[in-house]
């Protein structure tokens, strides 16, 4: 898959080289953000709903062990088998074991960012097992050997010509026919066959309800249902933070989710799975993979409230201009930048810095995660743990030294405003990234302080 | 320790101190003067169609005509005539050819166009997804304002499966262009009695 | 009412005219303002880079300089927000707390504390307003397009009192300019692209000036404008409110 080894900044620079395409990416996602705004404006109680959602999730995290036990007991009573996976490898192994045990050949999978996080497709591929992604966007990127670049709009980095070329190659569509209607119909026919012949369906989970032992999966295409209701085995994979206490709480989340994600009032299908149908097996894999560690980090635990709407992606001015791949992780965007350092601090140390801390992400978040504050706090942790460039540290130490000493600050300032060269963006040389596309401010004859002493302090 | 115990133990050790659930007061929630009109407007905006009926007879005729034309029609509504009772065991290859399915809905939600269907109303949980065209009949008195009201009136875990269904299947995965008819039904018409 | 004037380091060194305008404006409005001579910086450049631990010396110096004022006022939303959220001094916790609670960005001080309704200023130009994120989303200088709350804007309220000024807003009225502290060099490509996109929207409104409440954002936009030979200029809001063109 196209996971990049470049840092966010390096990958972003590559992305931006094609400026018209960057503009298109930015405008397309901004349009989604505007649709979200319009939908939110339609509900006078919007801010109250966010508050309710936030409180329900906070409460759930504070009683999570008990809710998981309640969920497990109810799901078992419903005839569903629960599996527990401490990490990604266990998650993948549990699924592979079920595949082997049942001698499964044909597998369809609907969208699950968890399986992306765990690298399930690659794992199964290495074992000689092929899965068919059935969400249209995911199928497109799968045929291109790519990963989703956005958790709700997996193929948002592609243009219709790209899709047309891919479908021409793999699905024999007419060359050069870029009509989305035509291309979608081709995918419908192609995937119907896959649904009908599938033996195993893998889905994600949007919400798991402790009170009922059931879970809800939301799609617009109907692909999760087509797969799960057709196959003889259904495996649903969930991070343990998907839990909510009661069915009535679904009302709050289903009102927020699609409005935040795409501006729709609700997804086309909000499917409530409770029991396997007669003759079917239903399994739920509950995954930790670092989540319990994140739960223990007081500053970062509320990132586990996330319902994966991607509103923070669409509003993020950096994401819109750098694309999903620049984040080199399954979950990109601002939320990814506060989740991924928990999974691997060294590999993801660049992500909390891939933000201007503008705060728009926290404002759109339907469950009120303080994303931009957590980005700031991760920066402190990453520095403390030694995951930030030594050169950066030396520069900032020098800066801190001078700025704590007014006499030194003034002395350096008199020497041709040299104090400001301590600021990384004001180094007056051609190697300074500031200067690449921007002029420096012109140094004035006197500082404000000099002026003040001359004019105000007789 | 088993994986289960390890996970649960770590959660117990790491969870924050208990906070309260919020009280959800429906006084705070949007109200609509005309639930029917709101429902119709929203459903149309998400690609569905609505037809108001005084009685169900005209729909009965439509169903009969379709059958007479040789369309593969599956009816799950008693007031429309013969009901296909034993379809629970039909498999995907059996159902793939269904042209139109007629299903009765429990509750319709004015704020988002969704309708709640119990598995018992579908007869087979694959039916409303795999059929080419879907017709749902709902009683006007069963239109509620919001999802909060809807969950008060349904029992979402009563059957093995249930769904809030809002409009025909759709996607915008190619350049954000909306296309109706992704994998599920290509059209949804809601008849309101 | 004793007011301490905080002029952030890069304004002191590079944009003294913004400090002068702020001081003159406050004095014109009858305030008793002093400028503590040993001030330097708020500490944000270190903290936002992950080195908050290094800003203790800065914090201490800030508290030493700004203890004893009823209010502290600065022409920078970003520096004010940083101090409000992060200023601490182990030896003088009470003084640090007083400063956190009484430090104001200039426009919020004019609107909320002085309750200015009439400004004697004139600036007969087409001006575009850039909403800086930390002032807007952090200090709530204006409502935000993401939030479903009543709309208001303190900077606009003041600019609307300036004679001859034609105010315009860019299409995306509160999108970040991409400065972001050290982000502007460590994420140079995205930073500049964001700045260019802001400028494109302002240029479409045929503005002569872009103004705002933060010099740092304006410095970034000015750098791009100058490099591209544009005749659009940047100007801090204090300079407009203090002008009599």
């Amino acid at each position: 898959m196209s996971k990049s080894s470049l840092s966010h900044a390096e990958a972003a620079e590559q992305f931006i080289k094609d400026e018209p395409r960057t503009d298109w990416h930015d405008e397309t996602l901004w349009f989604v953000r505007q649709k979200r705004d319009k939908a939110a404006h339609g509900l006078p109680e919007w801010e109250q709903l966010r508050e309710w959602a936030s409180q329900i999730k906070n409460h759930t995290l504070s009683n999570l062990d008990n809710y998981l036990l309640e969920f497990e007991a109810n799901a078992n009573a419903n005839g569903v088998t629960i599996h527990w996976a401490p990490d990604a490898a266990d998650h993948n192994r549990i699924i592979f074991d079920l595949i082997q045990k049942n001698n499964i050949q044909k597998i369809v999978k609907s969208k699950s960012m968890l399986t992306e996080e765990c690298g399930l497709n690659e794992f199964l591929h290495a074992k000689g097992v092929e899965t068919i992604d059935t969400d249209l966007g995911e199928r497109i990127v799968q045929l291109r050997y790519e990963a989703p670049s956005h958790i709700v709009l997996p193929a948002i980095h592609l243009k219709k010509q790209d899709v047309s070329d891919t479908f021409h190659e793999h699905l024999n569509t007419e060359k050069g026919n870029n009509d989305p209607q035509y291309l979608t119909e081709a995918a419908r026919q192609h995937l119907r066959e896959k649904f009908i012949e599938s033996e195993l369906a893998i889905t994600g989970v949007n919400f798991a309800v402790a009170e009922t032992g059931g879970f809800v999966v939301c799609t617009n295409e109907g692909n999760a249902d087509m797969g799960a209701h057709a196959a003889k085995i259904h495996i649903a994979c969930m991070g343990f933070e998907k839990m909510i206490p009661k069915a009535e709480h679904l009302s709050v989340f289903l009102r927020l989710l699609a409005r935040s994600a795409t501006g729709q009032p609700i997804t086309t299908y909000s499917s409530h799975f409770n029991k396997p149908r007669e003759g079917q097996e239903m399994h739920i894999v509950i995954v930790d993979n670092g989540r319990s560690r994140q739960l223990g980090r007081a500053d970062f635990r509320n990132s586990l409230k996330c319902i994966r709407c991607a509103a923070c992606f669409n509003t993020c001015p950096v994401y819109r201009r750098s694309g999903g791949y620049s984040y080199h992780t399954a979950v990109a965007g601002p939320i990814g930048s506060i989740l991924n350092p928990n999974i691997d601090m060294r590999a993801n140390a660049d992500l909390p810095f891939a933000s201007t801390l503008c705060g728009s992400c926290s404002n759109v978040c339907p469950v009120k995660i303080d994303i931009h504050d957590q980005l700031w706090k991760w920066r402190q942790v990453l520095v403390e743990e030694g995951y930030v460039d030594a050169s950066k540290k030396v520069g900032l130490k020098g800066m801190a030294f001078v700025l704590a000493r007014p006499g030194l600050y003034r002395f350096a300032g008199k020497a041709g405003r040299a104090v400001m060269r301590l600021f990384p963006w004001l180094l007056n040389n051609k190697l300074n990234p500031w200067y690449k596309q921007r002029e420096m401010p012109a140094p004035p004859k006197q500082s404000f302080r000099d002026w003040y002493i001359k004019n105000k302090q007789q | 320790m088993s994986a289960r115990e390890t996970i649960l133990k770590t959660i117990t050790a790491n969870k924050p101190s208990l906070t309260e659930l919020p009280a959800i007061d429906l006084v705070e929630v949007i109200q609509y003067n005309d639930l029917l009109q709101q429902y119709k407007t929203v459903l149309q905006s998400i690609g569905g169609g609505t037809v108001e009926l005084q009685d169900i007879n005209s729909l009965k005729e439509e169903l009969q005509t379709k059958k007479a034309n040789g369309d593969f029609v599956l009816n799950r509504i008693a007031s429309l005539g013969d009901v296909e009772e034993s379809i629970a065991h039909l498999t995907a290859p059996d159902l793939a050819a269904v042209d139109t399915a007629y299903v009765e809905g429990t509750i319709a939600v004015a704020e988002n166009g969704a309708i709640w269907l119990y598995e018992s109303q579908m007869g087979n949980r694959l039916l409303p997804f795999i059929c080419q065209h879907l017709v749902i009949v709902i009683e006007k008195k069963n239109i509620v304002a919001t999802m909060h009201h809807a969950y008060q009136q349904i029992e979402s875990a009563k059957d093995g499966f249930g769904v809030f269904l809002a409009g025909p299947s759709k996607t915008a995965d190619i350049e954000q262009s909306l296309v109706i008819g992704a994998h599920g039904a290509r059209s949804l018409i809601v008849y309101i009695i | 009412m004793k007011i301490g004037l905080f002029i952030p380091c890069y304004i002191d060194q590079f944009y003294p005219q913004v400090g002068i305008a702020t001081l003159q404006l406050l004095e014109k409005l009858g305030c008793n303002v002093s400028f503590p001579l040993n001030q330097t910086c708020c500490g944000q450049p270190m903290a936002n880079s992950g080195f908050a631990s290094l800003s203790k010396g800065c914090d201490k110096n800030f508290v030493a300089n700004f203890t004893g004022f009823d209010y502290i006022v600065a022409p920078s939303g970003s520096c004010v927000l940083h101090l409000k959220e992060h200023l601490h001094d182990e030896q003088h916790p009470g003084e640090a707390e007083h400063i956190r609670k009484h430090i104001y960005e200039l426009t919020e001080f004019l609107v909320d504390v002085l309750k200015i309704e009439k400004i004697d200023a004139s600036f007969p130009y087409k001006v575009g307003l850039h909403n800086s994120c930390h002032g807007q989303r952090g200090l709530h200088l204006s409502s935000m397009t993401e939030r479903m709350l009543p709309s208001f804007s303190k900077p606009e309220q003041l600019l609307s009192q300036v004679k001859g000024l034609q105010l315009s807003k860019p299409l995306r009225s509160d999108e970040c300019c991409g400065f972001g502290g050290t982000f502007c060099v460590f994420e140079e490509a995205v930073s500049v692209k964001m700045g260019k996109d802001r400028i494109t929207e302002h240029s479409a409104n045929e503005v002569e000036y872009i103004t705002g409440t933060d010099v740092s954002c304006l410095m970034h936009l000015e750098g791009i404008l100058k490099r591209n030979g544009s005749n659009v200029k940047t100007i801090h809001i204090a300079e407009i409110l203090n002008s009599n063109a």
Side-chain angles (χ1 to χ4, degrees):
Chain A
M1 294 279 164
S2 53
K3 296 253 168 67
S4 160
S5 59
L6 301 176
S7 72
H8 180 274
E10 291 163 338
E13 195 179 347
Q14 296 295 319
F15 186 83
I16 289 175
K17 276 191 180 145
D18 187 346
E19 196 164 354
R21 194 155 178 139
T22 305
D23 288 337
W24 176 82
H25 190 263
D26 166 60
E27 277 155 25
T28 306
L29 288 161
W30 180 255
F31 180 60
V32 181
R33 153 77 206 273
Q34 286 179 307
K35 288 197 288 186
R36 170 265 173 205
D37 289 353
K38 200 168 162 234
H41 274 296
L43 294 181
E45 68 268 34
W46 183 257
E47 298 295 336
Q48 177 66 65
L49 262 183
R50 292 175 70 222
E51 183 57 31
W52 284 336
S54 170
Q55 288 179 20
I56 294 167
K57 281 284 184 180
N58 279 334
H59 163 81
T60 311
L61 291 175
S62 77
N63 194 35
L64 190 58
D65 43 356
N66 293 319
Y67 283 131
L68 282 165
L69 287 169
E70 185 185 349
F71 177 74
E72 180 189 41
N74 287 325
N76 283 337
N78 288 337
V80 179
T81 310
I82 302 282
H83 308 260
W84 300 81
D87 59 28
D90 291 301
H91 163 267
N92 295 343
R93 184 190 43 74
I94 289 166
I95 293 172
F96 183 61
D97 286 351
L98 285 166
I99 291 169
Q100 280 204 311
K101 196 179 121 194
N102 294 283
N103 193 25
I104 301 283
Q105 306 296 325
K106 309 212 156 157
I107 304 170
V108 290
K109 181 158 93 41
S110 70
K111 197 150 77 213
S112 151
M113 289 320 299
L114 178 68
T115 62
E116 292 293 333
E117 177 188 318
C118 295
L120 179 68
N121 280 6
E122 295 90 328
F123 171 85
L124 291 178
H125 179 76
K127 298 269 184 198
V129 179
E130 291 311 316
T131 53
I132 305 286
D133 278 322
T134 57
D135 171 82
L136 175 59
E138 284 208 320
R139 186 64 183 142
I140 293 166
V141 294
Q142 187 180 40
L143 289 172
R144 298 170 62 91
Y145 306 101
E146 291 175 356
S149 69
H150 183 290
I151 59 175
V152 171
L153 318 166
I156 196 65
H157 58 293
L158 298 173
K159 303 195 77 159
K160 55 190 177 189
Q161 294 88 322
D162 304 324
V163 178
S164 175
D165 291 345
T166 302
F167 279 14
H168 173 67
E169 187 186 336
H170 295 275
L171 307 182
N172 286 321
T173 56
E174 284 166 33
K175 192 165 177 57
N177 190 335
N178 301 340
D179 178 16
Q181 182 90 44
Y182 168 75
L183 296 170
T184 302
E185 182 62 29
R188 178 184 170 101
Q189 299 306 336
H190 159 69
L191 287 167
R192 272 211 159 214
E193 267 174 45
K194 305 290 178 192
F195 287 125
I196 289 168
E197 63 188 28
S198 76
E199 300 160 311
L200 168 68
I202 300 172
T203 71
V205 168
N206 289 94
F207 306 99
V209 184
E211 167 188 60
T212 65
F215 60 93
V216 175
V217 180
C218 302
T219 74
N220 281 320
E221 299 180 6
N223 56 314
D225 290 281
M226 288 288 281
H229 305 323
K232 64 178 186 185
I233 302 177
H234 174 189
I235 306 176
C237 306
M238 59 177 269
F240 64 52
E241 80 282 13
K242 296 291 173 189
M243 197 62 49
I244 59 170
K246 292 169 186 294
E248 68 184 63
H249 297 136
L250 288 167
S251 61
V252 173
F253 295 104
L254 292 180
R255 297 187 79 196
L256 286 165
L257 178 62
R259 287 183 173 99
S260 297
T262 60
Q264 294 170 260
I266 190 168
T267 49
T268 305
Y269 306 106
S270 308
S271 298
H272 296 50
F273 293 86
N274 301 309
K275 297 173 187 170
R277 64 174 199 278
E278 222 183 298
Q280 188 195 29
E281 266 182 46
M282 196 180 278
H283 299 263
I284 299 173
V285 187
I286 300 177
V287 180
D288 183 335
N289 203 34
R291 287 164 175 76
S292 59
R293 183 170 61 239
Q294 185 88 324
L295 188 66
R297 301 183 199 268
D299 283 340
F300 305 114
R301 65 164 58 107
N302 92 23
S303 60
L304 295 172
K305 297 195 292 187
C306 176
I307 58 172
R308 302 292 192 268
C309 71
C312 63
F313 288 52
N314 306 335
T315 203
C316 180
V318 177
Y319 175 86
R320 280 189 260 109
R321 293 175 182 83
S322 61
Y325 295 149
S326 63
Y327 294 78
H328 53 78
T329 48
V331 178
I335 185 67
S337 297
I338 61 172
L339 292 172
N340 291 307
N342 173 59
I343 296 176
D344 186 339
M345 250 188 245
R346 183 177 299 279
N348 301 315
D350 55 329
L351 297 181
F353 294 91
S355 162
T356 61
L357 306 179
C358 79
S360 188
C361 46
S362 305
N363 273 347
V364 296
C365 178
V367 292
K368 295 179 106 167
I369 301 170
D370 52 342
I371 302 173
H372 74 292
D373 286 333
Q374 292 191 38
L375 288 166
W376 190 89
K377 288 173 181 165
W378 267 119
R379 293 179 184 188
Q380 313 304 320
V381 172
L382 291 163
V383 164
E384 201 171 306
E385 303 272 334
Y387 293 110
V388 168
D389 262 5
S391 64
K392 212 170 178 181
K393 189 163 184 174
V394 171
L396 286 157
K397 262 195 167 158
M399 186 179 188
F401 184 82
V402 174
L403 292 171
R405 289 165 179 78
L408 195 53
Y409 165 76
R410 285 198 296 278
F411 172 76
K414 284 221 168 68
R417 314 265 79 87
V419 62
M420 285 299 117
R421 296 193 188 142
L422 290 167
F423 283 73
W425 57 88
L426 293 177
L427 282 163
N428 202 357
N429 79 48
K430 298 227 161 173
L431 295 175
N432 176 5
W434 174 280
Y435 194 66
K436 220 170 125 185
Q437 302 184 68
R438 286 167 290 211
E439 292 299 320
M440 319 288 280
K445 288 206 180 66
Q446 58 182 357
S447 69
F448 172 75
R449 186 177 181 278
D450 296 338
W451 175 89
Y452 185 82
I453 291 171
K454 204 185 284 174
N455 293 279
K456 290 285 174 178
Q457 286 215 320
Q458 289 83 16
Chain B
M1 240 185 329
S2 72
R4 174 179 180 278
E5 282 164 21
T6 312
I7 293 170
L8 287 168
K9 253 190 135 159
T10 318
I11 292 174
T12 308
N14 287 351
K15 68 180 181 177
S17 50
L18 190 66
T19 63
E20 290 298 302
L21 271 174
I24 292 164
D25 187 348
L26 295 195
V27 173
E28 306 259 6
V29 166
I30 194 164
Q31 290 177 10
Y32 301 105
N33 294 328
D34 186 342
L35 288 175
L36 175 65
Q37 191 49 49
Q38 172 68 21
Y39 181 80
K40 284 165 58 179
T41 307
V42 174
L43 187 65
Q44 280 157 24
S45 77
I46 57 176
T50 55
V51 180
E52 280 182 77
L53 285 183
Q54 289 310 310
D55 63 75
I56 206 154
N57 284 331
S58 57
L59 187 57
K60 241 185 202 168
E61 282 162 29
E62 181 201 292
L63 193 154
Q64 291 311 326
T65 316
K66 280 197 173 161
K67 276 191 172 167
N69 290 345
D71 290 350
F72 185 178
V73 175
L74 262 180
N75 173 38
R76 293 285 308 157
I77 304 172
S79 52
L80 283 184
D82 295 341
V83 170
E84 316 284 345
E85 286 295 353
S86 47
I87 63 165
H89 298 289
L90 296 185
T91 60
D94 303 327
L95 292 170
V98 173
D99 183 67
T100 308
Y102 291 79
V103 179
E104 191 165 5
T106 306
I107 291 284
V109 187
E111 69 161 321
N112 58 23
I115 289 181
W116 175 260
L117 301 175
Y118 282 110
E119 185 172 15
S120 51
Q121 291 172 313
M122 307 168 203
N124 182 311
R125 53 177 87 169
L126 188 54
L127 180 64
F129 304 95
I130 201 168
C131 63
Q132 296 291 333
H133 302 279
L134 180 62
V135 172
I136 300 181
V137 175
I138 186 98
E139 286 185 53
K140 189 179 156 188
K141 67 175 170 54
N142 292 332
I143 303 176
V144 298
T146 72
M147 293 296 281
H148 306 289
H149 302 90
Y151 275 100
Q152 283 177 349
Q153 298 201 26
I154 61 167
E155 215 183 305
S156 68
K158 191 181 79 179
D159 287 359
F161 178 76
V163 64
F164 275 109
L165 187 152
S169 160
K170 56 175 118 25
T171 184
D173 274 348
I174 301 174
E175 274 198 18
Q176 279 293 290
S177 308
L178 180 69
V179 177
I180 303 284
H183 303 301
R186 295 177 189 272
S187 74
L188 168 71
I189 305 289
V190 174
Y191 286 87
I192 303 165
I193 313 263
Chain C
M1 186 163 74
K2 272 176 65 188
I3 294 165
L5 180 64
F6 170 44
I7 299 300
C9 50
Y10 59 94
I11 299 183
D12 175 51
Q13 293 290 321
F14 280 102
Y15 297 91
Q17 72 276 17
V18 175
I20 296 168
T22 305
L23 176 64
Q24 289 178 341
L25 176 64
L26 288 169
E27 288 184 336
K28 235 192 267 179
L29 295 167
C31 298
N32 171 16
V33 187
S34 27
F35 175 77
L37 290 171
N38 280 329
Q39 59 180 285
T40 59
C41 167
C42 65
Q44 183 175 214
M46 281 82 78
N48 282 9
S49 310
F51 294 84
S53 56
L54 293 180
S55 65
K56 288 205 178 86
C58 241
D59 283 7
K60 218 169 127 89
N61 185 58
F62 195 92
V63 173
N65 273 274
F66 287 97
T67 293
F69 290 105
D70 298 310
Y71 294 99
I72 295 108
V73 178
S76 162
S78 189
C79 302
V80 168
L81 178 68
H82 173 76
L83 289 160
K84 261 189 181 309
E85 289 183 339
H86 302 292
L87 182 74
H88 289 283
D89 181 344
E90 279 168 23
Q91 269 128 36
H92 306 97
E95 284 82 353
E97 190 191 349
H98 179 84
I99 293 171
R100 289 200 303 273
K101 287 190 172 151
H102 294 88
I103 186 161
Y104 281 81
E105 180 281 329
L106 176 67
T107 63
E108 71 173 337
F109 184 73
L110 298 179
V111 170
D112 294 349
V113 180
L114 298 184
K115 305 199 187 299
I116 300 299
E117 284 172 4
K118 199 169 171 297
I119 279 184
D120 185 23
S122 142
F123 195 75
Y125 298 100
K126 285 185 183 169
V127 177
L129 175 63
H130 173 65
N131 281 306
S132 288
C133 305
H134 288 176
Q136 188 200 24
R137 297 193 181 83
L139 297 173
H140 295 186
L141 297 185
S142 64
S143 50
M144 301 153 261
T145 53
E146 303 94 4
R147 301 290 304 273
M148 304 301 135
L149 299 168
S151 77
F152 67 94
S153 166
K154 293 170 195 180
E156 276 179 52
Q157 198 179 320
L158 294 168
L159 289 171
S160 69
Q161 299 167 32
V162 175
K163 278 192 239 44
L165 186 148
Q166 280 175 269
L167 188 67
S168 71
K169 285 194 278 187
L171 214 52
R172 302 182 193 175
S173 67
D174 56 5
E175 174 122 314
C176 179
C177 69
F179 172 68
T182 50
F183 180 87
C184 74
V185 284
F186 294 126
E187 287 268 5
E188 185 265 344
V190 184
S191 172
V192 170
K193 177 66 181 141
M194 286 168 69
K196 279 167 72 179
D197 290 352
R198 296 292 78 229
I199 288 167
T200 304
E201 287 182 17
H202 282 292
S203 301
N205 290 336
E206 299 180 330
V207 302
E208 296 165 274
Y209 288 90
I210 298 173
T211 192
T213 53
D214 264 281
V215 174
S216 49
C217 305
L218 297 175
M219 173 173 70
H220 163 67
L221 295 174
E222 180 190 46
I224 299 170
L225 285 165
K226 278 192 178 164
R227 175 63 59 91
N228 297 327
S230 166
N231 19 348
V232 176
K233 294 179 273 296
T234 55
I235 186 168
H236 189 270
I237 193 167
E239 296 174 86
I240 293 181
L241 298 176
N242 189 49
S243 67
N244 238 318

